[in-house]
Amino acid sequence: VRVHKPFVEKPASGEDHRVHVYYPSSMGGGVKRLFRKRGDKSSEYDPRDPGRVRRDGSYIYEEFVPTGGTDVKVYTVGPRYAHAEARKSPVVDGRVLRAPDGKEVRFPVLLSPQEKEIARMVCLAFGQRVCGFDLLRSETGRSYVCDVNGWSFVKNSKKYYDDAAGVDCEWG
């Protein structure tokens, strides 16, 4: 199968966070390497990289979805509650925006009815009451799940914890 650039290459292992984005020459070419946050960096762009896919392991290939520069982190507590926060995407410039306390800057966002249904389906499909996943809101208006992170909690939101404490986690 031929995959056209730009595309995303993710290691099949969820423990390996070395994700690559390959760009066509019409977009400047090269490769952006995403990785676990180190200080204020989350990615590096190499315009000189010829863009040959890695062949040293197993990888998953995805279409690159332009999002306007944000990613949405969604956290479920049971199939009927989801909390969402947006952050600057690591593909923008590789810099992590941090608040004065050192935490990554995130802001609460509302989920559309379709996105709430996606959250319910992810929770049920993975059989986890507490679950986190990454949602990409494309520039065409569609939303896509790009990663499911399993057991995951919001880092710094009193509202999330207050809401989650009152959730009835029955599967019904």
Side-chain angles (χ1 to χ4, degrees), residues 21 23-25 27-33 44-51:
V21 180
Y23 294 97
S25 58
M27 294 176 75
V31 174
K32 180 156 288 200
R33 293 179 186 87
E44 292 175 336
Y45 174 62
D46 182 355
R48 296 175 309 282
D49 189 301

Side-chain angles (χ1 to χ4, degrees), residues 96-170:
V96 178
L97 293 178
R98 296 207 180 269
D101 65 2
K103 292 190 166 83
E104 182 178 32
V105 173
R106 295 184 177 186
F107 50 93
V109 295
L110 296 175
L111 295 174
S112 70
Q114 175 199 23
E115 291 168 337
K116 289 177 183 178
E117 178 61 13
I118 290 170
R120 187 185 76 76
M121 291 188 307
V122 167
C123 181
L124 293 172
F126 284 84
Q128 286 191 223
R129 288 178 174 87
V130 176
C131 184
F133 64 92
D134 299 340
L135 189 73
L136 299 178
R137 289 177 165 169
S138 77
E139 293 175 344
T140 64
R142 296 198 58 186
S143 296
Y144 300 91
V145 175
C146 64
D147 285 307
V148 177
N149 303 310
W151 191 263
S152 190
F153 293 101
V154 176
K155 307 293 187 280
N156 192 22
S157 170
K158 182 177 177 347
K159 181 179 180 346
Y160 165 78
Y161 285 101
D162 289 346
D163 290 349
V167 171
D168 175 6
C169 284
E170 291 301 318

Side-chain angles (χ1 to χ4, degrees), residues 4-20:
H4 297 281
K5 295 176 182 177
F7 64 86
V8 179
E9 177 187 69
K10 294 180 178 178
S13 168
E15 300 303 314
D16 187 344
H17 298 279
R18 296 172 302 129
V19 174
H20 289 184

